[in-house]
Structures are given as structure tokens and as C-alpha cells.
Amino acid sequence: MEARHPLALERAAANAKHRISVSSPAIHGTISKMQSEYGDGVSPELWWDRVEGAKSYALILEDPDAKSITPFVHWVAYNIPADRTSLPEGLQEQEQVSEPAGLLQGKTSKGSVGYFGPRPPVGDPPHHYHFQVFALDSQLDVPPGAECDQVLQAMNGHVLAAGELVGTFQQVAEPSK
């Protein structure tokens, strides 16, 4: 079993004096099957508060209930343009997306790039998925496809505000073929 690490919001590198609200029309306590890997695995639409002075935003999605890697990183997105306060549903799963221009994505704990939806083991109690958004006073000098720890290290000292949306997901039966 690998070591447990705190969620991104709990790490010193992500220390923020101000909080922002994060929401999604697709997440009301629970995450829909469509956003899970048992369904279509498409990223949900996300919204957050605009932060004065922000030069970019970053997003880290983690599951602290995973047993093999804790927390399991499901999504890393950074250099989200400062004029954006949302991401569309179904964001492309590649290192650099065409819309919004400039947005880069990093690796999940699975090793893939882009959004990797919830996929807790069948029968596990509900897992909690933390969509953490960070307003930054700069763009991050991190290459496309970076790992979560690289992004957090680059964020250190640049976080103006942060917030999160927590959704749960549980797979109670084997998916039908």
C-alpha cells in the first residue's frame, strides 16, 4: 500500500487566504454515472468565482477514499485562462486542448492525461471526489502532461484563492455488458 498524502487543498503549496465557490450543474451531492468510467467518462461542466488579480486557474480532482493510491488523482488542468470561470462538459482528454486555448492537462494516477472519471471498486462505499480550483497570480511554467506534484510545486506561493466542490460516486453492481 502506498503512502497517504493530503489533498491538494491541504498542502502548504496550495495555501490560500481567500475561498472561492465551485459548482457544477451536473453534481448535486452525487456524480452522475455519465461522468464516471462506468458510463461515458466525460468531464462535468464546472463553474467558479472570478478572482481579482488572477492570471490563471488550476484544477485538481482527487479521491482520498481510493485504497491503492491516496489520494488518487483523477484530473489535473492548469494555465486555465484568467478570463475563464468555467470549463465545459466533455473537455478533450489531451495535454493541450483547443478550447479554452492555453489550458494544459496533466497525468492522472492511472497515467492517462485529462479527465479520468470515478471508478471505485464495485461494492465500495461511496467515494468522495474533490474538484479543487485554485486562482493563481501567474501562469505555471510546467510542461504539458505534468504530474500533480509538479503542478503543486509550481503553484507554491502563487495561490490567491481556492475552493472545492465535493461529489460522491458509488458503483453498487457490475456494469451490464
Side-chain angles (χ1 to χ4, degrees):
M1 181 172 242
E2 295 198 21
R4 291 189 169 300
H5 297 285
L7 290 169
L9 270 174
E10 299 165 352
R11 296 197 194 183
N15 188 26
K17 292 180 182 166
H18 303 284
R19 303 298 291 171
I20 57 176
S21 175
V22 180
S23 61
S24 172
I27 301 171
H28 302 284
T30 59
I31 298 170
S32 77
K33 186 172 183 174
M34 185 176 91
Q35 268 81 39
S36 82
E37 294 303 311
Y38 291 105
D40 296 334
V42 297
S43 62
E45 181 177 0
L46 291 172
W47 305 328
W48 57 87
D49 296 335
R50 180 177 307 283
V51 175
E52 189 69 36
K55 302 285 191 259
S56 72
Y57 295 92
L59 164 74
I60 297 174
L61 170 58
E62 295 175 301
D63 170 9
D65 302 317
K67 292 175 180 63
S68 60
I69 300 170
T70 306
F72 190 98
V73 176
H74 282 265
W75 196 8
V76 179
Y78 48 101
N79 290 345
I80 301 167
D83 63 350
R84 296 297 298 247
T85 56
S86 67
L87 289 177
E89 180 180 78
L91 204 64
Q92 300 160 319
E93 293 177 4
Q94 54 195 43
E95 291 180 351
Q96 191 162 4
V97 301
S98 56
E99 178 58 32
L103 182 147
L104 302 176
Q105 295 187 99
K107 288 187 179 134
T108 67
S109 293
K110 179 183 172 229
S112 60
V113 171
Y115 177 80
F116 178 70
R119 189 170 173 77
V122 172
D124 261 19
H127 283 217
H128 297 79
Y129 297 87
H130 296 252
F131 293 83
Q132 303 159 100
V133 176
F134 304 91
L136 308 173
D137 66 6
S138 68
Q139 292 273 320
L140 299 180
D141 186 19
V142 179
E147 294 188 357
C148 182
D149 284 344
Q150 290 174 278
V151 172
L152 281 167
Q153 185 176 11
M155 286 173 34
N156 195 6
H158 297 285
V159 180
L160 299 171
E164 73 178 329
L165 170 64
V166 179
T168 61
F169 185 83
Q170 178 181 30
Q171 183 68 22
V172 293
E174 284 292 335
S176 58
K177 303 274 183 201

